Amino acid sequence: MSGIYEQLGIRTIINAKGASTRVSGGILAPEVADAMRDASRHCVDMWEIQGRASEIIANLTGAEAAIVTSGAAAGLLLGTAACIAGLDPTKMNRLPDTSGMKDQVVMARSHRNFYDHAVRTAGAKLVEVGIADRFSGAGVRDAEAWEIAAAITEKTAAILYLAQPNSRPALGQVVKVAQAAGVPVLVDAASQLPPAENLRRFIDEGADLVTFSGGKAIGGPQSSGILCGRRELVASAALQCLDQDLFFEQWNPPPSLIEKSDIPGLPHHGIGRPCKAGKEEIAGLLTALRLFVADDAQARRQTVRAALARELYDALKETPHTQCALVPDSYRPGIPGVRMTLDETAAGKTALQVILELQNGDPSIHADNSRIADASIGFSSMCLEAGHPAAIAARMSELLK
Ligand SMILES: *Cc1c(COP(=O)(O)O)cnc(C)c1O
């Protein structure tokens, strides 16, 4: 317990789940928290700070331009709105009413996921393609690029691609059919960091827009994200999320995002207004990004995590009715963790029961629940701090004695 949480009368938890939104993300590096506090002391022009963010992120991603959003889901909403409206302020003002506009977003059926709600929020209709036989077990195939090509019509605004290590078809093949049809590809790469090389990968492979979460592995504020890509699309996204309550004469957009002559006048507050990032989030995200790509900061963090995972493994390995292994966190291959497999019969309880007891105990411990079907409980080192391994082990031996 400390400070603000004590004042609010709420408890802190031990986060062995990793930087998930449900458990408030991760712990900010002191440099990131300091940058946010520093940013909070002065006011700035939001176009100017987003313009500077664009230059810095463009440098790290290879994209033409970028903005900081309130998260990757915000990036999906803004990216979709940009693909639908382009730089036409009349269309921007009408969204989510898309009558008379291109408003279909084509995606492989196996890429459907609960974050694509953000795409539909902009007014787009999803067009699902292919059958994921490899997941149903009935066959070996998934959607293929020719099927995506065949689904493109004059109503297609974009192709949505969910980047995951096992995503099919390959992004390069999707980009090929998209470019042939003149349709932009929007990549949801929210959780594809680390490795840091992935900051460039999807742009290199030809994506028109890519969105990343700022509050996951980058280590930025929980409500931050990145939308990067082609300048005209990013400019549209910026116009649909930044505050435009000013006269056109007053507006001084940064050339890194948009030339004033690109549009006839300013749109109203747009469909993306709820996606706004504050100066504190922008400062925090840019600082986290700088640390994320710096080899020494990366190495330091990796050493701390490896030591915490090792300590946790050593403390847990004798727990009765379990088998423990030091393995990567199940969502983030680069981050070490501990996986504990329970002999549910001998223990007299299921993995889900143990996860619930951990969660409902004191201290409240949140573990990775993604593999309960294998009687397995995961502990990620991503957000652990000194003292947590011992506290987790003490609680586990109480629950399984
Ligand atoms: C986490 C995640 C998002 C949402 O990211 P936020 O930054 O929390 O908005 C979107 N898509 C995928 C695949 C994710 O894993």
Side-chain angles (χ1 to χ4, degrees):
M1 277 296 184
S2 71
I4 184 67
Y5 296 124
E6 205 162 342
Q7 187 189 323
L8 294 173
I10 63 168
R11 63 198 171 144
T12 58
I13 62 177
I14 292 180
N15 179 1
K17 170 87 169 63
S20 295
T21 300
R22 178 168 72 72
V23 287
S24 74
I27 309 284
L28 295 182
E31 294 93 327
V32 175
D34 287 349
M36 294 180 77
R37 176 188 282 265
D38 200 16
S40 76
R41 292 200 179 102
H42 303 277
C43 290
V44 295
D45 180 301
M46 289 309 293
W47 273 98
E48 191 177 338
I49 190 172
Q50 285 283 16
R52 186 69 188 116
S54 177
E55 291 167 357
I56 293 169
I57 298 169
N59 221 345
L60 293 173
T61 57
E64 290 173 9
I67 53 169
V68 178
T69 68
S70 57
L76 291 175
L77 192 166
L78 290 169
T80 306
C83 291
I84 294 174
L87 283 177
D88 182 341
T90 309
K91 288 182 177 168
M92 293 178 192
N93 286 344
R94 291 219 341 252
L95 291 182
D97 170 6
T98 60
S99 39
M101 304 178 208
K102 294 178 182 214
D103 65 353
Q104 294 181 356
V105 172
V106 175
M107 71 188 298
R109 186 169 275 114
S110 60
H111 292 210
R112 284 298 314 273
N113 67 88
F114 47 24
Y115 296 107
D116 62 39
H117 204 132
V119 170
R120 291 181 280 136
T121 307
K125 325 273 178 300
L126 294 179
V127 176
E128 296 180 20
V129 171
I131 297 181
D133 284 320
R134 66 180 171 125
F135 289 120
S136 65
V140 297
R141 294 202 292 170
D142 200 324
E144 293 175 356
W146 67 269
E147 295 178 286
I148 290 175
I152 295 174
T153 68
E154 73 285 350
K155 295 285 284 174
T156 307
I159 294 170
L160 176 62
Y161 189 93
L162 174 69
Q164 290 287 348
N166 64 352
S167 290
R168 284 204 230 153
L171 178 58
Q173 293 171 5
V174 174
V175 164
K176 218 163 162 185
V177 299
Q179 284 178 350
V183 172
V185 177
L186 166 58
V187 174
D188 177 355
S191 61
Q192 296 309 293
L193 302 169
E197 299 84 69
N198 277 2
L199 281 169
R200 291 187 171 270
R201 179 169 148 210
F202 309 106
I203 293 288
D204 279 351
E205 290 180 1
D208 297 276
L209 285 171
V210 182
T211 184
F212 295 102
S213 213
K216 292 179 179 168
I218 292 176
Q222 176 52 199
S223 54
S224 70
I226 291 170
L227 179 67
C228 62
R230 270 176 37 214
R231 186 166 163 278
E232 178 184 317
L233 292 171
V234 174
S236 172
L239 283 164
Q240 296 186 75
C241 109
L242 290 173
D243 190 298
Q244 313 290 7
D245 186 22
L246 77 177
F247 297 106
F248 197 58
E249 291 79 355
Q250 291 176 279
W251 183 52
N252 281 316
S256 60
L257 279 174
I258 187 171
E259 295 292 341
K260 200 162 176 172
S261 55
D262 287 347
I263 54 169
L266 288 168
H268 306 141
H269 293 323
I271 183 98
R273 170 65 186 235
C275 302
K276 78 175 180 189
K279 60 187 182 303
E280 297 83 4
E281 280 77 25
I282 297 173
L285 185 272
L286 292 177
T287 305
L289 202 51
R290 179 166 57 71
L291 298 176
F292 181 69
V293 298
D295 293 339
D296 53 337
Q298 283 256 53
R300 237 180 299 129
R301 201 167 37 213
Q302 212 43 22
T303 308
V304 171
R305 285 177 181 158
L308 285 164
R310 180 83 226 177
E311 185 188 344
L312 183 59
Y313 170 76
D314 286 339
L316 285 178
K317 67 179 189 233
E318 308 292 345
T319 315
H321 318 305
T322 65
Q323 276 199 324
C324 285
L326 255 180
V327 293
D329 160 332
S330 56
Y331 296 97
R332 306 160 192 95
I335 293 170
V338 176
R339 181 147 294 286
M340 175 182 257
T341 307
L342 187 63
D343 181 338
E344 294 183 329
T345 315
K349 48 179 91 169
T350 64
L352 179 58
Q353 277 172 307
V354 173
I355 282 176
L356 277 170
E357 287 175 331
L358 285 172
Q359 189 177 318
N360 295 334
D362 183 18
S364 171
I365 299 165
H366 288 252
D368 168 9
N369 59 0
S370 65
R371 301 257 308 265
I372 53 166
D374 308 328
S376 161
I377 304 165
F379 299 94
S380 172
S381 66
M382 186 176 198
C383 305
L384 291 186
E385 292 185 282
H388 287 171
I392 294 170
R395 185 73 183 126
M396 284 305 291
S397 64
E398 226 172 82
L399 294 177
L400 291 171
K401 66 172 173 251

